[in-house]
């Protein structure tokens, strides 16, 4: 599970263009620790990233 979570956090960081340390133990604790909770958190993070991208595309000064 740690490898999957590590890959997922790396992908999210790359998609969002952020470089920060992720406390995976805390992330799992916040998500409830189970695979279903992590999948739900991933879905929510994807939705958030999509909203941020949409806002960036429609903000003044966007290319």
């Amino acid at each position: 599970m740690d490898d999957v979570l590590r890959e997922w956090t790396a992908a999210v960081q790359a998609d969002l263009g952020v470089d920060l340390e992720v406390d995976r133990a805390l992330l799992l604790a916040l998500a409830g620790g189970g695979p279903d909770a992590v999948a739900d958190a991933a879905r929510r993070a994807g939705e958030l990233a999509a909203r941020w991208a949409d806002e960036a595309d429609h903000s003044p000064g966007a290319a």
Side-chain angles (χ1 to χ4, degrees):
M1 169 104 140
D2 192 49
D3 288 339
V4 172
L5 185 56
R6 188 181 324 276
E7 291 172 15
W8 178 82
T9 54
V12 170
Q13 288 174 320
D15 286 348
L16 296 178
V18 296
D19 183 26
L20 53 100
E21 210 43 49
V22 175
D23 184 339
R24 289 175 191 84
L26 177 60
L27 181 61
L28 286 173
L30 291 173
D36 291 337
V38 173
D40 186 51
R43 180 189 55 76
R44 290 189 218 178
E47 292 171 357
L48 179 60
R51 285 198 317 259
W52 283 344
D54 187 53
E55 288 174 9
D57 289 344
H58 294 98
S59 67

